[in-house]
Amino acid sequence: YQSIAYYCRVKEKKMPAYKTGVRGRPKKTFAYMIKSRRVTRGYSQRELAALLGIDHTYVSHWENGRRCPNVGILHDLVEVLEYNDKEVRWLLRTLAEGKV
């Protein structure tokens, strides 16, 4: 977790959240996965932020690829959005690889 948090803090380059891949399909980035799961669970950004105890602008920053959640919030986010073990490993790998 520390290397992921460190990577997100020192990262200066801002990447768009929804890059298009093969045949115009979106590449699965961390931001894309957070937003799609939030929408499928039926939460607004404000509702998700209230459940996590943070300001709603942080959720917007995550979904636009401008920021990464810290370790504590990432743990709560995984619980609230009900990710399974395989999805959690995928989220951590994409953060480590810089696919924010």
Side-chain angles (χ1 to χ4, degrees):
Y1 285 122
Q2 290 177 346
S3 62
I4 294 169
Y6 174 77
Y7 178 79
C8 290
R9 268 188 273 124
V10 298
K11 187 172 185 244
E12 296 296 325
K13 181 181 168 190
K14 294 182 180 170
M15 298 170 45
Y18 307 106
K19 291 184 171 183
T20 55
V22 179
R23 299 183 184 141
R25 295 183 194 146
K27 290 182 182 177
K28 291 190 176 182
T29 61
F30 178 80
Y32 177 80
M33 294 303 288
I34 293 296
K35 183 173 184 174
S36 63
R37 179 59 63 100
R38 176 184 62 79
V39 170
T40 57
R41 295 286 185 238
Y43 295 123
S44 69
Q45 287 182 349
R46 288 183 186 270
E47 291 171 337
L48 180 59
L51 290 171
L52 297 173
I54 58 173
D55 190 54
H56 69 93
T57 57
Y58 287 115
V59 177
S60 175
H61 288 303
W62 300 337
E63 292 181 359
N64 289 312
R66 285 186 236 133
R67 285 188 159 187
C68 300
N70 66 28
V71 176
I73 293 175
L74 183 61
H75 180 267
D76 295 339
L77 183 67
V78 164
E79 288 183 0
V80 168
L81 295 180
E82 301 173 5
Y83 284 103
N84 62 35
D85 292 340
K86 183 178 177 181
E87 293 168 329
V88 171
R89 285 191 301 270
W90 185 89
L91 286 171
L92 293 174
R93 188 173 61 242
T94 56
L95 282 174
E97 292 172 357
K99 296 179 182 175
V100 180

